[in-house]
Amino acid sequence: MTTYFIRRLLLTIPTFIGITLLVFVITRFVPGGPVERMVTQAQIANAEMGIEQIDGVGGSTLSEEQLAQLNAYYGFDKPVIISYFLWLKKVLTFDLGTSSRYNEPVWDIIVERFPVSIFYGLLTLVITYSVCIPLGILKAIKHSTPIDHFSSALVFLGYAIPNYVFGIILISLFASHWDIFPLGGFVSYEFDDLTFFEKVVDLLRHAVLPLLSYLIGSFAVMTMMMKNSLMDNLAADYVRTAMAKGLTFKDAILKHAIRNSLIPLATSFGHTISFVLTGSFLVETIFNIDGMGLLGYESLVERDYPVVLGILVISSGLFLLGNILSDLCVAIVDPRVQFN
Amino acid sequence: MHLHPLTAKKIQRFKSIKRGYWSGVILVLLMVLSCMAELIANSRALVVSYNNKLYFPTYGAFIPGNYFGLDYKYETNYRQLKHIFQQEQSGNWVLMPPIPYNPYESNTIAGQYPPHAPSWSQQHYLGTDAAGRDVAARIIYGFRLSMAFSMLLLIFNYAIGTTIGCLMGYRGGAFDIIFQRIIEIWSSVPTLYVIMIVASIMIPDFWVLIAILVFFEWIGITWYMRTSTYKEKSRTYTLAAKALGASDSRIILHHLLPNSISVLITFIPFSIASGITTLTALDYLGFGLPPPTPSWGELLRQGIGNLSYHWIAGSVVTAMVCILTMVTWVGEAVRESFDPKKFTYYE
């Protein structure tokens, strides 16, 4: 098994290179890249100020020297592959460059946001699993009863509504209309002056609405996955054997079927982990939570490409790690899994 | 039309799931209606009767105002014309669409700043947005646009995904391995973010946005088609067809595809829902279609920016929830009828 995981780990390297190269090349070759954009911005700015073009050499109002500097900064003066590997070499030493907006190292900026994303991610993870597994079991046992139908309808409604739309509903009702919860943010401005107890309350009050939006989508998938896989197992021969030996239905489920039906959930565990850290652009933007999602969105709007690429590197890295973690979970839950 | 009895049975089963069936009927109806959106929400009149002649200005070139005896040469303002005709009482009349506004014009009411609250007298049934554009009109045109968008996206995604998936399953070998690697890379890309990156670099129009999305989303169906083809390929009927001398393309098109198609069909409604969701999300974040395109995402953005003008967010959220719920119900019913899971258990 160890060799399998080592091989898996090694296989992530070409995939990682593939992803980053893909995006790197796209940002380079698509018309209107960072340099071109700066040139046009400079032109617009000049036009607005009414400055006449004096040099008359070309359309560019940035001087040749400035252009060369910009090109060198983005590595545009070298062939793609070379500048890609230069960039990759820096990435491997956790040097993601410097943010053009904050003028700080990208790595530091991203790490700063980790606590926020981890807070929401972990809570979402724990709540999802602790609600969906029991609910799925209940739905499987009570298949085709009113409880099953009713919860299915609710769960599917939750599935149909995208989490950002649900977030907008929540914020307009409970924050704007009724003013029960704050409009957004991670904590209040006066957070530092509060006592410990007040701090906890403040944090939780801010967390209720975003958490609900995070949960709504994952509920449906998890619950139905649990239910269907348990239903599959309930129809399996080994459950029949167990019951033929005189086990009660309850024991057959709790002692035999459930363990096996957790396998599909284990496969999705790794993906949840990567989601834990990267959060959601949409939910974080709506609730103005200063996590990685909002950072990614803002740096895109501000054209802060070092941060954009940095977030991409970290989220795809996490995703790949999550995949391996999934395999590990499956191996733990399912001893039949052979890794050859 | 001759249907295979199995297919007929599946359709019968779909019809018997009432919730899904009626959602499907309503959705199709809404789509047909939205194709005629110009007749429902438009600033051009449906019919104008002037000096005993009928005019139908909805489609075609615009009719200048002096045509109807007004003193200007730009396009007739039909709402005004209606008012004038009513005052003249000369037998001329104008029939306006139910919502007499097009989604682009801003209609500011004198003495007020937009957004205007819903009002029946102004015929802004759902109010106006911050630029004074009619919300109902924008929702209708936005619906048409996002439906067309997700349909086209679906067609391209499925065409590419199915072709590659079938070839992977059927050919195997190096082709399979190469595309497996590609799919692994593609599926590890944080899709929404990368699409946002690309969209931020090149301001996309309708077709460019579809191209970008197809570029990153075609893998969705590929894996299922590969598995399905792979499974069907080892069945005896494929072997028989091969023994009879059928060509590869015949085996794929006449034998493998029809047998794998039910997998494809069960995914369609969910793909449409995700198309709508993605487009709206991109529009919301400002990386979608350029303004002033009527879009739900842009309305959502305005709604969240002007929370006290609850009719903006309220209308568009209601529209989205209704449409997406219906699409999901259809999806549930399709899955139930095309890929039924029958459970037996012992108690």
Side-chain angles (χ1 to χ4, degrees), chain A residues 185-205:
Chain A
F186 186 58
V187 288
S188 310
Y189 285 117
E190 60 273 10
F191 186 70
D192 288 334
D193 305 331
L194 301 175
T195 62
F196 177 74
F197 179 70
E198 282 172 331
K199 274 184 180 173
V200 173
V201 172
D202 185 60
L203 192 64
L204 290 181
R205 260 170 56 86

Side-chain angles (χ1 to χ4, degrees), chain A residues 102-328:
Chain A
Y102 297 101
N103 232 339
E104 275 174 57
V106 172
W107 175 252
D108 294 352
I109 296 174
I110 294 177
V111 169
E112 238 171 65
R113 314 289 169 117
F114 271 173
V116 177
S117 298
I118 291 176
F119 172 77
Y120 278 109
L122 277 185
L123 272 182
T124 313
L125 190 76
V126 171
I127 298 176
T128 310
Y129 276 96
S130 53
V131 172
C132 293
I133 294 177
L135 186 62
I137 296 173
L138 184 76
K139 282 169 70 65
I141 298 173
K142 304 265 180 209
H143 181 59
S144 285
T145 60
I147 297 178
D148 183 35
H149 290 308
F150 179 69
S151 56
S152 280
L154 267 188
V155 153
F156 264 102
L157 191 68
Y159 178 74
I161 305 173
N163 59 7
Y164 60 92
V165 174
F166 192 61
I168 291 174
I169 298 176
L170 288 177
I171 208 170
S172 4
L173 288 183
F174 296 104
S176 171
H177 191 66
W178 283 313
D179 200 17
I180 303 172
F181 293 107
L183 267 170
F186 186 58
V187 288
S188 310
Y189 285 117
E190 60 273 10
F191 186 70
D192 288 334
D193 305 331
L194 301 175
T195 62
F196 177 74
F197 179 70
E198 282 172 331
K199 274 184 180 173
V200 173
V201 172
D202 185 60
L203 192 64
L204 290 181
R205 260 170 56 86
H206 280 85
V208 172
L209 299 184
L211 260 184
L212 283 174
S213 340
Y214 275 126
L215 290 172
I216 187 169
S218 47
F219 263 22
V221 181
M222 283 284 172
T223 309
M224 293 319 281
M225 204 194 268
M226 182 68 212
K227 183 197 170 186
N228 288 339
S229 93
L230 186 57
M231 299 282 292
D232 281 338
N233 276 300
L234 287 184
D237 287 340
Y238 72 89
V239 175
R240 178 165 45 178
T241 316
M243 293 194 51
K245 284 197 307 182
L247 228 59
T248 58
F249 184 61
K250 198 177 145 200
D251 274 355
I253 292 180
L254 291 180
K255 291 190 178 148
H256 295 270
I258 282 184
R259 196 181 144 112
N260 280 320
S261 45
L262 285 176
I263 296 169
L265 267 76
T267 6
S268 66
F269 185 72
H271 299 296
T272 331
I273 287 287
S274 69
F275 168 76
V276 161
L277 279 172
T278 48
S280 154
F281 302 105
L282 291 149
V283 175
E284 286 191 5
T285 325
I286 288 169
F287 290 101
N288 201 16
I289 302 163
D290 221 359
M292 282 205 8
L294 189 64
L295 178 69
Y297 170 72
E298 281 179 347
S299 46
L300 251 183
V301 174
E302 304 278 336
R303 319 241 167 239
D304 190 352
Y305 285 101
V307 178
V308 169
L309 278 178
I311 287 183
L312 184 84
V313 167
I314 289 180
S315 48
S316 38
L318 284 172
F319 187 83
L320 293 174
L321 276 182
N323 273 346
I324 298 177
L325 210 65
S326 292
D327 284 356
L328 204 67

Side-chain angles (χ1 to χ4, degrees), chain A residues 5-21:
Chain A
F5 279 107
I6 291 173
R7 208 168 61 224
R8 273 302 304 262
L9 217 53
L10 289 177
L11 263 179
T12 57
I13 295 172
T15 316
F16 182 75
I17 291 180
I19 300 168
T20 45
L21 188 63

Side-chain angles (χ1 to χ4, degrees), chain B residues 37-280:
Chain B
E38 280 83 4
L39 300 175
I40 299 168
N42 204 345
S43 54
R44 290 183 174 183
L46 292 175
V47 191
V48 178
S49 164
Y50 180 64
N51 292 345
N52 292 324
K53 257 181 87 180
L54 288 180
Y55 298 88
F56 301 92
T58 306
Y59 298 99
F62 76 82
I63 306 174
N66 53 4
Y67 218 84
F68 296 120
L70 300 169
D71 54 357
Y72 52 80
K73 279 186 176 162
Y74 47 88
E75 176 157 25
T76 316
N77 182 337
Y78 292 98
R79 291 190 300 270
Q80 209 180 35
L81 189 70
K82 184 176 180 178
H83 198 67
I84 293 170
F85 282 176
Q86 268 169 0
Q87 281 182 338
E88 282 177 356
Q89 302 222 322
S90 53
N92 297 331
W93 49 267
V94 176
L95 178 68
M96 290 301 286
I99 300 166
Y101 299 97
N102 76 39
Y104 300 104
E105 64 177 335
S106 49
N107 177 43
T108 40
I109 301 167
Q112 285 179 38
Y113 287 106
H116 304 301
S119 113
W120 282 83
S121 62
Q122 290 288 334
Q123 292 187 289
H124 285 303
Y125 303 109
L126 298 176
T128 74
D129 68 0
R133 297 171 296 200
D134 188 71
V135 171
R138 285 184 79 76
I139 285 182
I140 292 171
Y141 283 88
F143 170 74
R144 175 162 82 174
L145 196 77
S146 40
M147 269 296 170
F149 186 87
S150 12
M151 292 281 185
L152 284 167
L153 188 66
L154 177 122
I155 292 170
F156 286 120
N157 271 339
Y158 280 28
I160 297 175
T162 313
T163 315
I164 292 178
C166 281
L167 286 176
M168 280 172 77
Y170 189 75
R171 282 265 182 83
F175 186 84
D176 190 26
I177 289 172
I178 291 170
F179 270 95
Q180 273 188 41
R181 299 306 307 167
I182 291 181
I183 287 176
E184 191 171 334
I185 293 176
W186 252 243
S187 61
S188 321
V189 168
T191 320
L192 185 66
Y193 196 43
V194 176
I195 292 171
M196 279 160 63
I197 295 177
V198 178
S200 79
I201 296 174
M202 49 199 295
I203 311 297
D205 64 7
F206 186 84
W207 291 104
V208 172
L209 200 60
I210 285 190
I212 298 174
L213 285 173
V214 168
F215 184 75
F216 288 105
E217 288 184 346
W218 58 271
I219 52 152
I221 200 77
T222 312
W223 204 251
Y224 293 102
M225 288 315 286
R226 177 189 175 269
T227 320
S228 169
T229 321
Y230 194 76
K231 241 193 304 192
E232 297 296 326
K233 186 186 142 191
S234 57
R235 302 271 289 267
T236 36
Y237 72 87
T238 316
L239 211 65
K242 214 177 241 171
L244 285 168
S247 67
D248 283 354
S249 60
R250 190 184 163 82
I251 292 178
I252 291 180
L253 291 176
H254 286 252
H255 298 284
L256 298 182
L257 255 186
N259 280 301
S260 328
I261 213 88
S262 71
V263 183
L264 211 68
I265 288 174
T266 57
F267 282 109
I268 288 178
F270 298 102
S271 299
I272 290 184
S274 98
I276 298 174
T277 314
T278 313
L279 178 67
T280 313

Side-chain angles (χ1 to χ4, degrees), chain A residues 43-66:
Chain A
Q43 275 173 343
I44 292 169
N46 283 355
E48 275 171 357
M49 289 188 290
I51 294 173
E52 297 279 323
Q53 274 189 29
I54 307 160
D55 55 348
V57 181
S60 164
T61 43
L62 290 175
S63 69
E64 288 296 315
E65 202 182 327
Q66 279 175 307

